[in-house]
């Protein structure tokens, strides 16, 4: 009944939240003399913290309406080019200037691990001036009716293969965090089948390829408990009146609780500082807090079958690095990958996918030529710094673009070496 109680709590808090928001507006209205006093700012700050703490955060927008190509600002339009019940493939279509060269085509596979694909907004924004970007926009499981069927790890792999077929040859795939495993499995299946639509390259970023290497708190939690514990304690039916009523899911609010508990003191300090910034009328710092938590607190449900199969396959059995992972009753053979170039990227301070877990892909794909593989470890960044932030823009993104440029189907040259950080051929 936890999910129902959670929904009931939100419903009960709705009128109080509305009152708090109205009072906040009154205390911030410049026509109110109290708004210019410390008392008024203190009241407004407390009311905003209360309203935000009890709010349900919906899916954020990508909001990428323009980018710069060849020194010119061009408009960008989101276009759905492929659809399934649990995913839309979104193309960020650029209005390119005449005479612009053909840019590489990138399928960016966003994580299905609680947050929406908009978590990769900064990743897309950084790569967009130099590539045609397509991203997997996963659908909140509680919004998918039971009549649309189930979705598990095997379906995830099938979706990736179907999307690569839809995009055509010479596509490059980037997997961020959780999808590193199903993307690697999909590429292995395609290579073994001699599929002409296998990607030209795959980039795996902060992914749990082998969680036996430098296990983190997330990895240890999965190993310490049997799969039945997860089935009994975190799987719940979607309550009425959601479209996915009675679908068994791993709820987003439970995932968020897990995320925040890992660094609870940091989140408490951040909210206290947010309150102080509001009282001091420090608008810039307060707005940065709002932007971050509007994204961070927006979570989605995952189907029970996908979550349980992922936990068992990736974190308990370690099936992929052991060569035991199955897809539709066939073994996933990563040694079959010979033609797809491989780039692995890690963060030195990653506390979700430990250092070496993603690099393990280099070991289990022994038949990729050395000239078409590369590993890079970015110093001084955690998990989110692997795909977002200033170091990503300055250090990681140029390496990804250089690797992709060097490993298009029409090319067969070693990637350009960029100084800085820690990179290696394997």
């Amino acid at each position: 009944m936890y999910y129902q109680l959670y929904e009931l709590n939100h419903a009960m808090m709705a009128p109080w939240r509305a009152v708090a928001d109205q009072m906040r507006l009154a205390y911030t209205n410049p026509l109110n003399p109290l708004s210019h006093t410390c008392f008024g700012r203190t009241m407004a700050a407390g009311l905003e913290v209360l309203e935000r703490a009890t709010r349900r955060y919906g899916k954020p927008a990508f909001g990428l309406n323009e980018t710069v190509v060849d020194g010119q600002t061009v408009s960008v339009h989101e276009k759905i080019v492929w659809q399934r019940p649990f995913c839309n493939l979104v193309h960020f279509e650029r209005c390119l200037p005449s005479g612009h060269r053909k840019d590489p085509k990138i399928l960016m596979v966003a994580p299905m691990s609680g947050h929406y694909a908009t978590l990769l907004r900064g990743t897309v924004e950084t790569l967009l001036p130099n590539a045609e970007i397509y991203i997997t926009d996963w659908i909140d499981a509680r919004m998918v009716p039971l009549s649309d069927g189930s979705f598990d790890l095997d379906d995830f792999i099938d979706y990736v293969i179907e999307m690569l077929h839809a995009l055509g040859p010479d596509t490059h795939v980037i997997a961020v965090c959780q999808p590193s495993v199903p993307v690697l499995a999909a590429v292995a299946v395609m290579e073994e089948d001699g599929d002409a639509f296998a990607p030209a390259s795959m980039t795996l970023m902060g992914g749990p390829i082998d969680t036996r290497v430098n296990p983190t708190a997330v990895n240890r939690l999965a190993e310490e408990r049997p799969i039945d514990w997860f089935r009994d304690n975190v799987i719940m039916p979607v309550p009425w009146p959601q479209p996915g009523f009675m679908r068994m899911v791993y709820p987003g609010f439970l995932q968020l609780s897990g995320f925040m508990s890992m660094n609870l003191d940091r989140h408490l300090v951040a909210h206290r500082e947010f309150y102080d910034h509001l009282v001091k009328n420090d608008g810039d710092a307060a707005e940065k807090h709002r932007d971050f938590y509007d994204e961070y607190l927006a979570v989605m449900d995952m189907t029970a079958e996908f979550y349980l199969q992922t936990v068992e396959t990736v974190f308990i059995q370690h099936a992929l690095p052991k060569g035991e992972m199955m897809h539709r009753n066939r073994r996933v053979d990563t040694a079959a990958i010979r033609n797809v170039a491989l780039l692995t990227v890690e963060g030195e301070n990653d506390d979700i996918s430990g250092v070496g877990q993603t690099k393990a892909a280099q070991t289990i794909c022994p038949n990729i030529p050395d000239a078409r593989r590369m590993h890079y470890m970015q110093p001084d960044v955690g998990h989110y710094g692997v795909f977002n932030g200033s170091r990503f823009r300055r250090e990681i993104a140029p390496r990804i673009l250089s690797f992709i440029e060097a490993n298009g189907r029409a090319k067969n040259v070693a990637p350009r070496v960029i100084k800085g950080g820690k990179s290696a051929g394997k």
Side-chain angles (χ1 to χ4, degrees):
M1 298 294 291
Y2 286 130
Y3 206 154
Q4 288 83 352
L5 290 173
Y6 174 78
E7 292 291 320
L8 179 62
N9 176 68
H10 264 283
M12 293 175 61
M13 285 299 299
W16 296 101
R17 188 165 56 252
V19 170
D21 198 37
Q22 290 298 317
M23 292 179 65
R24 178 189 65 82
L25 291 173
Y27 277 110
T28 56
N29 190 325
L31 298 179
N32 182 354
L34 290 176
S35 68
H36 306 288
T37 66
C38 181
F39 172 78
R41 291 194 299 270
T42 300
M43 289 296 296
L47 291 164
E48 180 168 352
V49 170
L50 172 63
E51 190 278 328
R52 293 182 64 84
T54 56
R55 179 195 302 179
R56 182 192 297 282
Y57 290 79
K59 178 186 175 183
F62 280 103
L64 300 175
N65 301 316
E66 60 182 32
T67 189
V68 177
V69 178
D70 294 341
Q72 301 181 39
T73 299
V74 301
S75 60
V76 177
H77 305 281
E78 294 180 31
K79 182 179 179 182
I80 297 175
V81 296
W82 181 92
Q83 284 183 296
R84 291 295 182 273
F86 292 89
C87 184
N88 293 326
L89 183 61
V90 176
H91 178 209
F92 294 92
E93 193 173 62
R94 305 169 298 166
C95 297
L96 296 172
S98 60
H100 180 71
R101 69 182 182 88
K102 184 179 180 181
D103 285 329
K105 185 170 44 179
I106 296 176
L107 168 60
M108 188 174 296
V109 185
M112 183 185 271
S113 54
H115 287 105
Y116 292 94
T118 51
L119 191 68
L120 303 186
R121 181 190 296 104
T123 319
V124 175
E125 185 177 24
T126 301
L127 300 178
L128 197 54
N130 300 287
E132 290 290 343
I133 304 293
Y134 299 79
I135 192 168
T136 56
D137 191 13
W138 300 107
I139 309 298
D140 188 342
R142 74 181 197 151
M143 303 304 293
V144 183
L146 271 174
S147 58
D148 284 334
S150 62
F151 181 87
D152 60 15
L153 187 59
D154 288 321
D155 293 311
F156 195 121
I157 293 171
D158 290 339
Y159 272 31
V160 172
I161 294 173
E162 288 183 30
M163 285 184 278
L164 287 169
H165 279 233
L167 294 180
D170 204 18
T171 299
H172 303 264
V173 61
I174 296 177
V176 179
C177 189
Q178 168 268 322
S180 293
V181 170
V183 165
L184 183 56
V187 171
V189 169
M190 296 178 81
E191 282 271 63
E192 188 173 21
D193 291 344
D195 195 323
F197 295 101
S201 75
M202 61 176 162
T203 299
L204 310 180
M205 306 176 67
I209 300 298
D210 190 349
T211 58
R212 297 172 299 178
V213 181
N214 290 324
T216 64
V218 176
N219 308 149
R220 287 190 290 270
L221 174 65
E223 288 187 333
E224 289 169 359
R225 292 171 170 81
I227 194 64
D228 288 339
W229 183 91
F230 293 94
R231 184 179 291 107
D232 295 338
N233 289 276
V234 303
I235 301 302
M236 305 172 189
V238 175
W240 184 85
Q242 301 301 328
F245 174 56
M246 292 306 294
R247 178 181 292 281
M248 300 303 291
V249 297
Y250 177 28
F253 73 87
L254 280 185
Q255 300 169 60
L256 182 60
S257 299
F259 296 151
M260 298 194 73
S261 65
M262 293 178 63
N263 298 287
L264 184 58
D265 55 342
R266 188 182 305 172
H267 292 296
L268 292 175
V269 169
H271 281 76
R272 176 54 193 264
E273 291 177 346
F274 174 59
Y275 173 84
D276 292 339
H277 291 316
L278 291 172
V279 173
K280 295 175 182 176
N281 206 23
D282 185 353
D284 290 342
E287 194 59 35
K288 287 180 181 178
H289 176 96
R290 292 189 189 100
D291 290 343
F292 175 79
Y293 280 100
D294 283 352
E295 188 75 56
Y296 188 80
L297 298 177
V299 289
M300 56 185 285
D301 295 355
M302 287 189 285
T303 64
E305 57 272 17
F306 170 78
Y307 172 74
L308 294 172
Q309 189 180 357
T310 298
V311 169
E312 187 169 29
T313 301
V314 178
F315 297 100
I316 296 178
Q317 297 178 347
H318 314 289
L320 184 63
K322 288 181 177 179
E324 300 171 356
M325 183 173 177
M326 303 295 290
H327 171 63
R328 306 293 184 198
N329 296 318
R330 62 184 286 191
R331 189 175 70 87
V332 175
D333 182 12
T334 55
I337 304 175
R338 300 175 182 272
N339 302 306
V340 179
L342 172 63
L343 169 63
T344 49
V345 181
E346 297 180 329
E348 183 180 33
N349 302 324
D350 195 332
D351 60 354
I352 294 179
S353 295
V355 173
Q357 292 187 10
T358 312
K359 187 180 180 181
Q362 302 283 354
T363 302
I364 64 175
C365 299
N367 294 319
I368 299 175
D370 289 346
R372 291 176 60 79
R373 65 166 76 224
M374 178 179 173
H375 174 72
Y376 177 72
M377 195 274 284
Q378 175 63 48
D380 303 320
V381 301
H383 185 71
Y384 293 99
V386 171
F387 57 87
N388 214 337
S390 59
R391 288 190 176 91
F392 170 77
R393 293 189 295 270
R394 187 174 61 249
E395 300 284 344
I396 298 175
R399 285 174 167 82
I400 294 174
L401 291 169
S402 177
F403 186 82
I404 286 174
E405 183 71 22
N407 287 284
R409 289 297 189 200
K411 299 183 179 182
N412 190 20
V413 296
R416 178 167 57 93
V417 176
I418 303 176
K419 294 183 179 180
K422 301 176 183 179
S423 56
K426 287 189 179 181

